[in-house]
Amino acid sequence: MNRGPGGLVLMPVVLGSPYVLIKKSTSTQTTVRYPARGVGALWTAGTRAPAGSAVRLLGRARADLLEALRSPTTTTELARALGVTPSAVSQHLGVLRESGLVARERSGRHVLYMTTALGAALLGTTAH
């Protein structure tokens, strides 16, 4: 691939085309836009209703949060997807972690939360 005089710019995109787009410019730089990784379930978080038993046991907020963790994600992404504050998400995640329903894992500068086997069983699914 020929690069423009200003070099090559790689740009992960969340909102946009699901295809790789290459913009070549002879006066500046070549830009490669590509779908960002790790956002597979970001837009569907909170759109699927949790099982009634999970709601009765955990309450609506924690059951919705557990349901949204079908795909590993960060506190900030969960807050944005569910329309609540990051501090509220953190408080609920703390309770879910203490109960063994959620685990966390560091990925670079981010902490990803995910359901455990116990959490997945409560939702009636398999763990990630």
Side-chain angles (χ1 to χ4, degrees), residues 1 3-4 6-12 21-23 28-34:
M1 169 168 147
R3 295 179 298 165
L8 179 65
V9 176
L10 301 177
M11 184 182 306
L21 302 172
I22 301 172
K23 179 181 175 188
T28 57
Q29 68 236 2
T30 300
T31 302
V32 179
R33 294 174 46 132
Y34 60 93

Side-chain angles (χ1 to χ4, degrees), residues 11 76 93-94 114:
M11 184 182 306
T76 305
L93 284 172
M114 65 219 65

Side-chain angles (χ1 to χ4, degrees), residues 78-121:
L78 286 167
R80 190 176 305 126
L82 296 172
V84 297
T85 64
S87 61
V89 169
S90 291
Q91 290 174 0
H92 289 306
L93 284 172
V95 172
L96 293 172
R97 267 189 67 235
E98 289 170 7
S99 302
L101 300 173
V102 168
R104 66 181 176 188
E105 178 179 299
R106 182 160 290 283
S107 176
R109 295 186 330 176
H110 302 284
V111 176
L112 297 175
Y113 288 87
M114 65 219 65
T115 57
T116 61
L118 182 59

Side-chain angles (χ1 to χ4, degrees), residues 37-90:
R37 291 180 49 190
V39 295
L42 178 62
W43 310 118
T44 59
T47 60
R48 190 172 174 176
S53 59
V55 173
R56 287 190 302 275
L57 180 64
L58 302 173
R60 171 63 59 191
R62 289 186 183 135
D64 285 345
L65 185 59
L66 191 61
E67 180 65 38
L69 286 172
R70 287 183 177 276
S71 177
T73 190
T74 66
T75 302
T76 305
E77 291 167 342
L78 286 167
R80 190 176 305 126
L82 296 172
V84 297
T85 64
S87 61
V89 169
S90 291

